[in-house]
């Protein structure tokens, strides 16, 4: 009987935690700041002041729990997240105007693009072994498919393309050939689809990993679409000074999650569950 009561208590605690012990936050960047939104309370908090810098994308290492931030002026930094202390960041690696960034938690590699220099780069998590993966014309943001070892990226061009390339840069193919300034792209491992934003049209599009079944998830005719990320059910992306969400299936209404006072660039969905 005692064991039965203990089991019931454990089940009750786990059930309570399933609802109350989950943290879901959106991290995002504006000119000079990296911020977070608590999706339950709506509270907005400044994580880091990066005065004088544009931060166009964000990446996270779930194993070591570090947030990686590319500062446009010339480096990539990281700091522990979540962190209730005063943020102390460290410089990981120097970079020439980094634009897109992604982290491979399996192999502990950091990837980034340098659109001005035309480079897709990689280094170890500590900044060592810096190397050029591929020379590309104005590469934009990028996202990683860990399972199949592909890097997906767009171009910072009005007549750009969406590509996928192997981790070693030796095999590349076109996924979509009519992309207009791609500043947000995300591999969705749940639905095996690729999502991307088009800055100049306001379109949010998707396709299978191989580039087939291209769909327009939503078309707003508004410029300034930037970063995006996904969770199990929704796509979150920035549009001008707003972060909006939309269900992954086509035809659903946009919901504004947050409005800032400045252009929002990188967007990253963070989820953590304590037991």
């Amino acid at each position: 009987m005692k064991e039965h009561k203990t089991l019931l208590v454990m089940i009750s605690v786990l059930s309570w935690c399933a609802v109350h012990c989950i943290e879901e936050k959106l991290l995002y960047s504006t000119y000079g700041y990296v911020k977070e939104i608590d999706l339950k309370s709506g509270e907005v908090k400044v994580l880091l002041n990066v005065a004088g810098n544009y931060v166009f994308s964000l990446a996270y290492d779930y194993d070591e729990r570090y947030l990686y931030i590319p500062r446009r002026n010339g480096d990539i930094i990281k700091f522990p997240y979540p962190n209730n202390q005063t943020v102390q960041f460290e410089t990981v690696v120097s970079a020439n105007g980094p634009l897109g960034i992604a982290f491979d938690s399996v192999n502990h590699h950091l990837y980034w693009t340098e659109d001005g220099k035309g480079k897709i780069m990689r280094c170890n998590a500590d900044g060592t072994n810096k190397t050029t993966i591929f020379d590309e014309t104005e590469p934009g943001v990028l996202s990683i498919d860990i399972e199949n070892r592909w890097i997906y990226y767009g171009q910072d061009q009005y007549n750009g393309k969406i590509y996928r390339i192997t981790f070693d840069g030796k095999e590349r193919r076109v996924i979509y050939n009519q992309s207009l300034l791609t500043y947000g792209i995300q591999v969705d491992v749940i639905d095996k689809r690729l999502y991307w934003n088009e800055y100049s049209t306001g379109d949010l599009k998707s396709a299978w990993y191989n580039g087939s079944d291209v769909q327009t998830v939503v078309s707003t005719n508004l410029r300034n679409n930037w970063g995006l990320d996904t969770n199990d059910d929704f796509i979150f992306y920035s549009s001008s000074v707003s972060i909006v969400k939309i269900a992954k299936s086509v035809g659903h209404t946009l919901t504004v999650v947050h409005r800032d006072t400045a252009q929002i660039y990188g967007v990253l969905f963070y989820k953590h569950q304590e037991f």
Side-chain angles (χ1 to χ4, degrees):
M1 187 67 177
K2 183 178 180 180
E3 290 80 2
H4 180 66
K5 289 182 178 179
T6 302
L7 180 59
L8 288 176
V9 170
M10 291 178 64
I11 292 174
S12 297
V13 170
L14 289 173
S15 298
W16 186 88
C17 273
V19 176
H20 299 282
C21 298
I22 299 175
E23 283 187 319
E24 291 189 340
K25 297 182 180 181
L26 282 177
L27 311 186
Y28 70 96
S29 60
T30 62
Y31 177 72
Y33 294 97
V34 177
K35 305 179 183 181
E36 71 171 17
I37 310 165
D38 189 309
L39 291 178
K40 287 185 178 179
S41 67
E43 180 183 0
V44 178
K45 175 183 176 182
V46 174
L47 296 177
L48 186 67
N49 185 329
V50 286
N53 268 280
Y54 285 97
V55 174
F56 290 136
S57 55
L58 301 167
Y60 190 67
D61 176 5
Y62 271 94
D63 286 344
E64 300 296 330
R65 304 180 76 178
Y66 275 99
L67 180 65
Y68 286 82
I69 299 168
R71 298 194 295 186
R72 189 68 167 171
N73 284 1
D75 63 9
I76 298 173
I77 62 176
K78 70 177 182 180
F79 64 84
Y81 180 86
N83 186 353
N84 293 324
Q85 308 298 320
T86 301
V87 168
Q88 298 291 330
F89 69 82
E90 58 183 286
T91 300
V92 179
V93 66
S94 63
N96 291 300
L99 175 59
I101 189 172
F103 193 84
D104 174 0
S105 294
V106 174
N107 300 294
H108 304 288
H109 287 156
L110 178 68
Y111 293 86
W112 71 94
T113 60
E114 298 176 357
D115 56 327
K117 294 292 184 178
K119 303 286 186 182
I120 300 176
M121 305 291 295
R122 183 184 69 208
C123 70
N124 295 333
D126 61 1
T128 59
N129 197 27
K130 180 179 175 182
T131 184
T132 299
I133 297 299
F134 196 75
D135 292 312
E136 180 60 85
T137 303
E138 297 185 277
V141 292
L142 72 167
S143 184
I144 292 176
D145 174 6
I146 298 293
E147 293 180 355
N148 299 299
R149 300 182 64 80
W150 288 103
I151 302 168
Y152 290 82
Y153 66 94
Q155 290 179 288
D156 186 11
Q157 292 187 318
Y158 281 99
N159 59 342
K161 295 178 175 62
I162 305 290
Y163 292 99
R164 77 177 187 186
I165 190 170
T166 50
F167 281 10
D168 58 10
K170 294 181 178 179
E171 183 181 346
R172 185 185 70 147
R173 64 166 291 180
V174 175
I175 295 299
Y176 184 67
N177 61 10
Q178 300 177 27
S179 178
L180 305 175
L181 297 173
T182 304
Y183 297 139
I185 193 167
Q186 181 63 36
V187 172
D188 184 349
V189 297
I190 297 172
D191 292 338
K192 308 299 182 185
R193 292 190 70 85
L194 182 71
Y195 294 93
W196 69 91
N197 273 332
E198 295 196 348
Y199 175 87
S200 58
T201 66
D203 288 352
L204 170 64
K205 294 188 175 182
S206 75
W208 295 123
Y209 280 1
N210 62 5
S212 64
D213 189 39
V214 175
Q215 297 180 11
T216 299
V217 180
V218 63
S219 182
T220 62
N221 295 317
L222 298 175
R223 295 171 61 91
N224 300 336
N225 283 3
W226 281 81
L228 69 86
D229 204 353
T230 62
N231 65 4
D232 293 351
D233 303 308
F234 293 99
I235 307 159
F236 300 88
Y237 72 94
S238 63
S239 180
S240 188
V241 299
S242 298
I243 297 177
V244 297
K245 73 174 183 179
I246 185 170
K248 290 178 181 178
S249 54
V250 177
H252 289 263
T253 304
L254 290 171
T255 301
V256 175
V257 176
H258 173 68
R259 295 187 193 276
D260 206 282
T261 58
Q263 169 75 59
I264 297 173
Y265 299 110
V267 174
L268 187 148
F269 176 80
Y270 170 83
K271 181 176 181 178
H272 180 67
Q273 187 164 351
E274 294 283 357
F275 288 107

